[in-house]
Amino acid sequence: MTSPARRHFLRKAAAQVAVNDGGGLRDATHYERMLMKLAEDKRRLKQIQSNQAKAEYKRKVLPEYQPWVEGVLLGETGQQDDVLMTVMLWAVDAGNYLTALMIGAYALRFKLAMPDTYKRDAANTLAEEIADAAKRARDEKTAFDAAVLKNALSLTEACDMFDPVRAKLLKETGLAIEQTDPQAALEYLARAKSLDDKVGVVKDIERITRNLKNSAGNG
């Protein structure tokens, strides 16, 4: 566990590195140390086969990165940071969506790139990861906060994204609010279908439409 003094040091180090004009982040000692830690955690993750266990490991180590993340966000220079971008995705896997969205907002604002191991840009990656997390929760019949999906949609609204990715996010948003706001759910699902007719919402639209008609008839 990271001590309060260590957390304070990392926050200051990250902020100082972020405002350092001499050579950028990749030449910074503290950044290199964080990259080394990241590499070690990735090595350990490769030794874990269970996806559930991988998520648990990420949940365990994420607090050790939090001071660095806070320092970088505080510095607000928008320099590329592979540690930050990896933590964004690990936060989604660990269910820490607030951290993921905070980093996502920063990354999109400054147009940060994903690390080389990821094929898609930050907007597509964040949107798809959150949509996939919502689908896993839905498949397991567990609750997923619709506000997370709405925030992800809002963050990526102005971004140039693949239509199927945005459609997935719209679909999961619609299904997440089906019980509380079926009319709005229909609008999300209809938009998803307009972007990708293979997104798989036809039966959902039919079900919600039928339920609305039945409710109106009973009223």
Side-chain angles (χ1 to χ4, degrees):
M1 182 177 294
T2 309
S3 69
R6 177 65 176 166
R7 290 196 296 270
H8 178 70
F9 170 77
L10 284 174
R11 275 193 293 270
K12 285 190 65 176
Q16 288 170 358
V17 167
V19 299
N20 179 14
D21 293 327
L25 278 172
R26 294 192 179 278
D27 298 324
T29 301
H30 298 304
Y31 180 61
E32 289 173 348
R33 289 177 183 171
M34 294 305 296
L35 284 175
M36 290 172 64
K37 172 175 171 48
L38 183 65
E40 174 62 19
D41 284 331
K42 283 184 174 181
R43 184 187 67 78
R44 293 183 181 180
L45 280 167
K46 285 183 179 180
Q47 297 173 347
I48 302 172
Q49 298 185 59
S50 163
N51 287 334
Q52 187 174 13
K54 284 179 185 286
E56 184 57 37
Y57 181 82
K58 291 172 183 176
R59 199 172 293 116
K60 175 184 174 183
V61 300
L62 273 176
E64 299 171 9
Y65 291 91
Q66 192 64 27
W68 180 264
V69 169
E70 291 173 2
V72 172
L73 299 185
L74 182 66
E76 278 204 330
T77 64
Q79 296 188 68
Q80 182 62 33
D81 187 325
D82 288 356
V83 174
L84 186 75
M85 300 307 286
T86 303
V87 169
M88 178 181 77
L89 296 187
W90 286 9
V92 174
D93 293 339
N96 190 343
Y97 303 112
L98 177 60
T99 294
L101 290 168
M102 286 176 59
I103 296 174
Y106 177 90
L108 296 178
R109 175 184 170 194
F110 290 108
K111 297 180 172 56
L112 300 192
M114 296 302 301
D116 292 339
T117 51
Y118 298 92
K119 296 180 180 179
R120 293 185 173 181
D121 63 18
N124 281 283
T125 303
L126 179 63
E128 189 158 35
E129 290 292 324
I130 288 181
D132 287 345
K135 184 181 185 303
R136 285 193 297 271
R138 182 163 55 84
D139 290 343
E140 295 167 2
K141 301 187 186 311
T142 59
F144 193 92
D145 189 353
V148 171
L149 294 157
K150 290 180 178 180
N151 283 336
L153 276 172
S154 178
L155 276 179
T156 57
E157 184 175 7
C159 299
D160 180 22
M161 288 169 54
F162 295 109
D163 289 341
V165 172
R166 198 185 301 275
K168 284 173 65 173
L169 189 56
L170 286 162
K171 173 183 177 178
E172 295 304 326
T173 306
L175 293 177
I177 64 170
E178 176 182 349
Q179 299 302 320
T180 57
D181 193 346
Q183 191 60 55
L186 274 181
E187 294 172 8
Y188 281 115
L189 296 177
R191 188 178 170 203
K193 186 176 184 299
S194 72
L195 290 173
D196 180 14
D197 59 8
K198 296 180 180 179
V199 72
V201 296
V202 173
K203 291 183 178 180
D204 297 311
I205 291 174
E206 291 175 350
R207 181 187 66 255
I208 297 172
T209 301
R210 183 170 58 250
N211 289 340
L212 282 171
K213 287 181 179 178
N214 289 339
S215 296
N218 294 333

